[in-house]
Amino acid sequence: MTCLFAVFLVFVISSPCLYARITHGKKYIFNVLDYGASGNGKIDDTNAFMAAWKKACGATGDTPTLLIPSGKTFKLQPVRFEGPCKSESVHVKLKGTIIAPRRDDDWKWSNNDRKTWIRFYNIKGLVINGGGVIEGQGDSWWSCKSNRKCDRPIALSIIHCPHLKLVGLTSKNSQRNHFSINHCNGSFISDLRIYAPGNSPNTDGVHISESAHIVIQNSHIQTGDDCVAIITGSSFINVTGVTCGPGHGISIGSLGRNGAYDTVEEVQVTNCTFIKTTNGVRIKTWKGGSGYARKITFQDIILQHVQNPVIITQQYVDYHSKNNHGSSSAVALSDITYKNVGGTSESEEAIQLNCDKNVPCTNVVLERINIISSNGGKIQAACQNAEGTFSSCMPNVPCLV
Ligand SMILES: *[C@@H]1O[C@H](CO)[C@@H](O)[C@H](O)[C@H]1NC(C)=O
Ligand SMILES: *[C@@H]1O[C@H](CO)[C@@H](O)[C@H](O)[C@H]1NC(C)=O
Ligand SMILES: *[C@@H]1O[C@H](CO)[C@@H](O)[C@H](O)[C@H]1NC(C)=O
């Protein structure tokens, strides 16, 4: 009797799981080909993607998946994948290639948001993976150097998607930033491959803003602007195992533009390699801004022919822009550590700590720095208004106060 009851109980408990597992294979996969996508790289597949997304986002149950199959190329006009979705976690499996229309050919802005090509918005537990490719055809936009004039779009923008997982994608030739992550606490970003020419304008690799507890790891970034930029509202950010170059390095900022109050704190950049980049590890804030960047650590950094390996520019001024000369305030910089940074510098001033007279940088710590000249020349550090300590540094940093 007891035994029979136990068997019955086990059956009741396990059967829903069994049911979910059996149905998972088909029921929750929404293949864009089943919704009319052509995948020939020429016909606009936007409507098919929207129809499949609507189903995936509206599906209840276990990880509904929007499937973009391999071996095909899908052309998408500016497109919005929006939540909230019914499921706790929605997957986008990008196995094939998504390609943008060319600006000079058949690009169509469909609404008032002229900032983004592909946008994911307000989706909990979004997982984007699959090893596929996003091709922005940015060369059709780059000749227009002024963003204001031609609305060069961000290739992939992910906004309000907490617990995002973005893994194993390739982005090529983004029109502007490759990936922008905004308001996505608790996200994991890994194994990205990012490619654009070194002279392509504003093609930041990964842009993080207004997000806490983010890991970015094991990625190769070759682009025309910052490989990773950590901007306002970001905290507890780990960047590790990133190879950058060409590019402008890994940057905190810019912060404080046009008098903004901006904050960044608790950032760890570890085990990163810079190859022929303009900067290595950088902090950049604008004259006239306020707020802070603090508790920033750059550790285990390898430099190969880097123009400005270690650089803080606290009072950045753009002489083309009129309105940032007025105020003399500054974004406060403190608790900034450089540990085990080594390799070759293209410039003589391998370490530049340029801080403000009224708001000096405080507690700047340099330990085990070993930077030599790429061409056998002299190497030195330069500081203005930087307070802190150094030990075992080549070059020495006697300009710290
Ligand atoms: C994200 O994290 C920050 C810092 O921990 C917190 O202030 C903010 O409320 C969080 N946002 C959301 C939407 O959870
Ligand atoms: C971030 O890095 C620090 C030090 O490298 C480590 O202690 C911490 O656990 C990391 N956080 C995450 C979420 O990986
Ligand atoms: C450092 O990063 C490289 C990728 O550039 C990775 O292969 C390696 O495992 C990382 N090492 C550690 C100790 O995390």
Side-chain angles (χ1 to χ4, degrees):
M1 184 64 193
T2 322
C3 181
L4 211 65
F5 181 66
V7 166
F8 174 71
L9 208 63
V10 165
F11 176 73
V12 167
I13 289 169
S14 63
S15 60
C17 310
L18 201 65
Y19 177 72
R21 216 176 313 135
I22 288 164
T23 55
H24 180 84
K26 290 187 181 120
K27 193 169 169 197
Y28 297 124
I29 293 191
F30 302 91
N31 185 335
V32 294
L33 292 177
D34 297 336
Y35 293 83
S38 78
N40 71 0
K42 295 189 171 70
I43 294 171
D44 177 6
D45 285 327
T46 315
N47 289 339
F49 273 60
M50 283 294 87
W53 171 253
K54 222 174 143 189
K55 290 286 188 190
C57 185
T60 54
D62 200 18
T63 56
T65 300
L66 177 74
L67 175 66
I68 302 143
S70 60
K72 298 204 173 279
T73 299
F74 301 90
K75 189 194 268 184
L76 294 187
Q77 291 289 342
V79 64
R80 312 288 174 247
F81 299 94
E82 298 197 353
C85 296
K86 288 229 169 93
S87 173
E88 284 298 300
S89 176
V90 181
H91 287 208
V92 174
K93 213 169 250 311
L94 173 59
K95 294 180 154 218
T97 296
I98 290 176
I99 191 169
R102 295 181 67 80
R103 174 176 185 242
D104 42 21
D105 187 358
D106 50 354
W107 180 277
K108 290 188 206 75
W109 284 115
S110 56
N111 56 28
N112 293 328
D113 169 17
R114 296 170 76 94
K115 290 196 174 123
T116 319
W117 170 33
I118 301 168
R119 188 171 71 178
F120 288 89
Y121 178 75
N122 199 20
I123 303 153
K124 269 193 228 156
L126 175 65
V127 178
I128 308 179
N129 60 15
V133 177
I134 298 168
E135 166 62 73
Q137 305 227 59
D139 62 313
S140 66
W141 298 79
W142 298 330
S143 61
C144 178
K145 296 281 179 204
S146 156
N147 253 330
R148 249 159 301 181
K149 245 189 231 158
C150 46
D151 296 315
R152 264 188 271 123
I154 293 163
L156 187 73
S157 181
I158 305 177
I159 304 171
H160 284 285
C161 295
H163 306 293
L164 165 73
K165 284 195 175 70
L166 176 64
V167 177
L169 297 192
T170 296
S171 174
K172 292 183 182 166
N173 303 314
S174 58
Q175 304 90 334
R176 191 177 172 185
N177 303 357
H178 293 264
F179 296 98
S180 272
I181 312 295
N182 174 260
H183 282 109
C184 297
N185 281 1
S187 295
F188 177 77
I189 298 166
S190 184
D191 297 275
L192 300 182
R193 296 287 176 274
I194 293 177
Y195 305 102
N199 62 358
S200 55
N202 307 108
T203 50
D204 283 347
V206 181
H207 225 238
I208 304 288
S209 59
E210 305 287 353
S211 300
H213 301 283
I214 308 290
V215 174
I216 303 173
Q217 66 173 32
N218 302 347
S219 295
H220 285 264
I221 304 177
Q222 309 181 354
T223 196
D225 207 319
D226 295 337
C227 287
V228 177
I230 297 161
I231 58 174
T232 192
S234 303
S235 60
F236 299 94
I237 312 290
N238 272 16
V239 181
T240 191
V242 169
T243 303
C244 170
H248 293 184
I250 293 182
S251 182
I252 311 297
S254 64
L255 304 174
R257 192 173 194 167
N258 295 325
Y261 175 86
D262 285 343
T263 65
V264 168
E265 66 184 323
E266 299 282 5
V267 177
Q268 306 261 1
V269 176
T270 57
N271 186 28
C272 291
T273 301
F274 298 86
I275 303 168
K276 295 184 176 167
T277 51
T278 55
N279 305 296
V281 290
R282 182 182 207 193
I283 300 176
K284 176 179 171 186
T285 67
W286 290 76
K287 185 173 160 65
S290 63
Y292 55 81
R294 63 194 183 199
K295 300 184 183 164
I296 316 277
T297 299
F298 301 102
Q299 187 172 349
D300 305 331
I301 302 296
I302 296 171
L303 309 156
Q304 297 176 12
H305 299 276
V306 173
Q307 194 66 35
N308 305 302
V310 171
I311 180 166
I312 295 178
T313 313
Q314 194 188 18
Q315 291 292 60
Y316 188 78
V317 175
D318 176 1
Y319 288 99
H320 300 296
S321 144
K322 291 183 192 104
N323 56 4
N324 54 31
H325 296 279
S327 168
S328 63
S329 68
V331 177
L333 305 179
S334 62
D335 305 322
I336 297 158
T337 301
Y338 303 90
K339 228 185 247 182
N340 191 25
V341 176
T344 54
S345 172
E346 290 285 300
S347 69
E348 185 177 325
E349 287 189 350
I351 299 173
Q352 298 172 52
L353 310 173
N354 298 320
C355 305
D356 184 56
K357 175 157 93 287
N358 299 316
V359 190
C361 299
T362 59
N363 195 27
V364 178
V365 176
L366 296 107
E367 275 178 41
R368 288 185 289 132
I369 309 295
N370 184 11
I371 306 175
I372 61 171
S373 168
S374 297
N375 49 29
K378 241 174 74 183
I379 207 99
Q380 60 178 346
C383 337
Q384 284 167 40
N385 310 302
E387 303 171 9
T389 58
F390 68 95
S391 64
S392 308
C393 288
M394 161 72 209
N396 258 323
V397 200
C399 53
L400 277 174
V401 292

